[in-house]
Amino acid sequence: MRDERLPLLRRHAALRCAVGRYCPLGFNATWAYLTATAGPAPDLRRDPAALLRALDMLEESRAVHLTEVAEFAARRHLEKAAGRRSPHPSDTAALRGPRWPSTSPPSRLGLIAAVANRHAAFRQFPYPDETLSSDTRVRQLADLHARLDASASAYLEALGRPAPAAVAELTATIDAIDDLTAPGYAPLNGCLLPWLRFANLLAYAVAASAAK
């Protein structure tokens, strides 16, 4: 990717492959984050300097992530020696879900681009019907879908800084979707888990912007 003798399209494809290997926000959201933050050109295939900036950001984030994983492994080694065989969910929370590891706060512009990308996809996700659930449950799901859609719209319209009421509504919506998911295989999970992944990305973006 750094070899300027290679065609820019080939270097661009190599960056796409690298994002496929390390995509802390999910592939599409990570790509949207990088292209928005590395800009100003929205197409990295036409801007070699932006391509290198995107690579630098990705490498820095991965280095931080690997350090976090190594620190967690060392801590768990000591805990196991002390008799604590299983970690508490809160111990692994920082390593799960969408997050942009970095030595500096994540880019609000990048997170807005990531959420906008996934919001457009969310509106196209498969929607459960009466073949997967009862009519009552389908109406409940329709309400949750509309609430999550509204939460994402509020985030984007506020440029990453929604009002406290919108943040509280997002939290309640995530809890309600999570309550409907089932462990293991369940027909509804095929629809609900993508919703939940998008909702968790949105929640992370909201929290990251509020922390600045």
Side-chain angles (χ1 to χ4, degrees):
M1 280 178 276
R2 298 190 185 279
D3 189 346
E4 296 182 357
R5 296 170 300 176
L6 296 175
L8 190 56
L9 287 178
R10 183 173 173 184
R11 295 165 63 195
H12 178 270
L15 179 61
R16 296 274 295 183
C17 290
V19 172
R21 295 291 187 90
Y22 175 71
C23 45
L25 302 176
F27 180 86
N28 291 294
T30 297
W31 188 259
Y33 179 96
L34 289 173
T35 54
T37 309
D43 189 349
L44 297 182
R45 290 172 294 187
R46 301 180 181 180
D47 191 339
L51 188 74
L52 290 178
R53 286 194 294 270
L55 176 59
D56 288 340
M57 286 188 292
L58 189 69
E59 288 182 335
E60 191 268 343
S61 177
R62 184 173 182 273
V64 172
H65 170 70
L66 292 177
T67 298
E68 292 174 344
V69 170
E71 290 174 349
F72 174 77
R75 186 168 64 252
R76 284 297 301 141
H77 180 75
L78 295 176
E79 290 173 349
K80 287 181 179 180
R84 186 181 174 191
R85 304 305 299 173
S86 299
H88 190 273
S90 61
D91 297 335
T92 60
L95 300 177
R96 292 181 284 109
R99 190 175 63 93
W100 187 262
S102 178
T103 55
S104 58
S107 163
R108 183 160 62 96
L109 174 62
L111 290 176
I112 290 171
V115 169
N117 177 279
R118 293 295 83 204
H119 184 214
F122 167 72
R123 289 179 164 179
Q124 303 298 320
F125 285 166
Y127 192 82
D129 57 26
E130 63 276 2
T131 64
L132 296 179
S133 191
S134 64
D135 289 343
T136 301
R137 179 63 60 83
V138 167
R139 287 193 293 272
Q140 182 182 9
L141 293 171
D143 176 65
L144 289 175
H145 188 279
R147 287 167 58 185
L148 183 52
D149 183 40
S151 291
S153 296
Y155 170 85
L156 295 172
E157 290 167 6
L159 298 179
R161 291 174 177 163
V167 177
E169 170 65 8
L170 172 61
T171 301
T173 302
I174 291 174
D175 290 341
I177 295 174
D178 193 45
D179 286 344
L180 291 178
T181 61
Y185 171 78
L188 276 179
N189 283 358
C191 294
L192 294 178
L193 292 180
W195 293 12
L196 199 55
R197 283 193 291 271
F198 170 58
N200 287 332
L201 170 65
L202 178 57
Y204 168 70
V206 168
S209 296
K212 292 186 179 182

